[in-house]
């Protein structure tokens, strides 16, 4: 039996983390009611002229720098002509002749080791709208909210050869782009989508086989299954003549686990690219370029090494922090304030993460003020606020920008070691629960913990635990 190799190139579409669209001021945020974020410009009304969003260029260049690309300091927009109901102008404004980034590299790691995947180019463009198909009424409706939302398209060379490599590549892209705050890359919301170009050829051959493209894949598991299915389909066609392979665009049905032909694959000539006369060329001068490069963060693996070597964090703690740029930013600001790396790491990856989970938020959504978190941790370390009360303050900090010390003072959460008050509370608890006192004297250690807990509740946690325990034992023995 002949051996074959799969050749895969990816076109990854990533929605940029901007407030507004690429050529108008409509909101680019996900989740609005249908056709709520539209205006005459993004609806393609005649006479409406585009104005380029500068933030889109910033993020496009940032993506290129994170992926080791060369940056075109003069970049232009072009018209890509095709008709589809969700494209109101019957053309898409994109980049063809002078894309913003070219010739990049992404290093991935799989079970076979490390491999460099070449990036052909990254170009900026506008998204199309969304067709909503209603099988019940046999109608299709158009939502233009997504029209003109800014995208970058990351085009790889055909350097990938397996589903494992594709998943590793997409995970690496997602990690880098999230870390640089280029995009949230939430595949379930469509802010990261992938077109898979695949062909099969005899092992060792340098001639590419017939290429098919599967459009708008938006989950890693679906992409993996689709690649395995399509590879098997191509091999069957070559070996057994089950069908004649043609260059085409196909749709993946994840429920049935099969791909279906949609249309013949277009070539560049079919799109009739030409420079968009309404969008001026963009010149990224030295000052602008320097401003963008100054915002580029260390790569996650570089930060991880610094946290371990310079701050003494464990590999596990460092790993957890570098999963999210928001975690890193919060950790670094809190550490700068209190100087306790291990304590800060525990608060971020444990307490903050737990609160995010309860609110069904991702790590990248952490917006708590790191400096304030450092102040709170210091209050606990100095014995001014108990750990339990600090958690209550942290919950407030998730929703409000507060000064932890002032809030603790105003809400009676400062530890008070008033001997008279503590002993009054202990006396009241002991008088109300003589059974637990007797149980402890008879050797039941749990009875002491029950009494301790009651005292701490009465004091609302505002007492040094060691001091409370010593007074409690003293008064029981009296």
């Amino acid at each position: 039996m002949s051996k074959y190799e799969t050749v895969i190139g990816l076109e990854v579409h990533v929605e940029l983390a901007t407030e507004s669209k690429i050529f108008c001021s409509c909101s680019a945020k996900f989740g609005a009611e249908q056709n709520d974020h539209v205006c005459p410009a993004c609806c393609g009304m005649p006479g409406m002229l585009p104005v380029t969003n500068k933030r889109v260029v910033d993020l496009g260049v940032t993506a290129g720098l994170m992926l080791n690309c060369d940056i075109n300091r003069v970049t232009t927009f072009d018209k890509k002509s095709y008709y589809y109901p969700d494209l109101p102008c019957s053309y898409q404004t994109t980049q063809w002749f002078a894309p913003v980034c070219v010739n990049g590299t992404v290093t991935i790691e799989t079970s076979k080791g490390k491999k460099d995947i070449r990036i052909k180019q990254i170009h900026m463009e506008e998204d199309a709208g969304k067709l909503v198909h209603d099988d019940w009424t046999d109608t299709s409706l158009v939502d233009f909210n997504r029209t003109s939302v800014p995208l970058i398209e990351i085009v790889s060379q055909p350097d990938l050869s397996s589903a494992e490599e594709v998943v590793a590549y997409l995970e690496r892209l997602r990690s880098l782009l999230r870390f640089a705050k280029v995009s949230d890359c939430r595949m379930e919301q469509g802010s990261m989508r992938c077109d898979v170009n695949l062909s099969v050829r005899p092992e060792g051959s340098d001639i590419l086989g017939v290429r098919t493209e599967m459009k708008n894949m938006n989950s890693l598991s679906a992409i993996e299954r689709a690649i395995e299915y399509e590879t098997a389909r191509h091999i069957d066609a070559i070996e057994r003549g089950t069908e004649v392979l043609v260059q085409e665009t196909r749709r993946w049905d994840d429920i049935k686990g099969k791909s279906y032909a949609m249309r013949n694959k277009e070539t560049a000539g079919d799109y009739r690219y030409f420079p968009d006369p309404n969008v001026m060329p963009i010149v990224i001068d030295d000052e602008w370029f320097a401003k963008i490069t100054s915002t580029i963060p260390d790569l996650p693996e570089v930060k991880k090494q610094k946290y371990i070597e310079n701050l003494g964090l464990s590999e596990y703690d460092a790993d957890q922090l570098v999963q999210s740029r928001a975690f890193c930013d919060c950790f670094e600001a809190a550490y700068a304030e209190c100087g306790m790396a291990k304590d800060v790491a525990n608060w971020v990856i444990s307490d903050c993460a737990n609160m995010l989970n309860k609110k069904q938020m991702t790590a990248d959504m952490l917006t708590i003020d790191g400096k304030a978190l450092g102040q709170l941790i210091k209050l606990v370390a100095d014995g001014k606020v108990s750990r339990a009360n600090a958690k209550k303050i942290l919950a407030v900090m998730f929703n409000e920008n507060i000064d932890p010390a002032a809030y603790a003072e105003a809400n009676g959460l400062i530890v008070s070691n008033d001997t008279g008050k503590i002993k009054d509370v202990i006396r009241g608890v002991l008088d109300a629960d003589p059974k637990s006192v007797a149980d402890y004297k008879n050797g039941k250690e749990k009875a002491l913990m029950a009494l301790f807990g009651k005292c701490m509740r009465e004091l609302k946690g505002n007492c040094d635990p060691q001091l409370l325990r010593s007074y409690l034992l003293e008064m029981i023995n009296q």
Side-chain angles (χ1 to χ4, degrees), residues 52-73:
T52 305
N53 183 345
K54 184 174 181 288
R55 182 65 179 154
V56 172
V57 183
D58 290 342
L59 295 178
V61 173
T62 299
L65 293 173
M66 292 297 289
L67 304 183
N68 304 301
C69 291
D70 298 328
I71 308 301
N72 280 330
R73 303 287 285 273

Side-chain angles (χ1 to χ4, degrees), residues 19-29 36-42 145 147:
E19 294 293 328
S20 55
K21 294 184 178 181
I22 186 169
F23 296 123
C24 68
S25 59
C26 289
S27 172
K29 294 299 180 185
D36 204 27
H37 293 166
V38 295
C39 71
C42 55
N145 277 347
T147 305

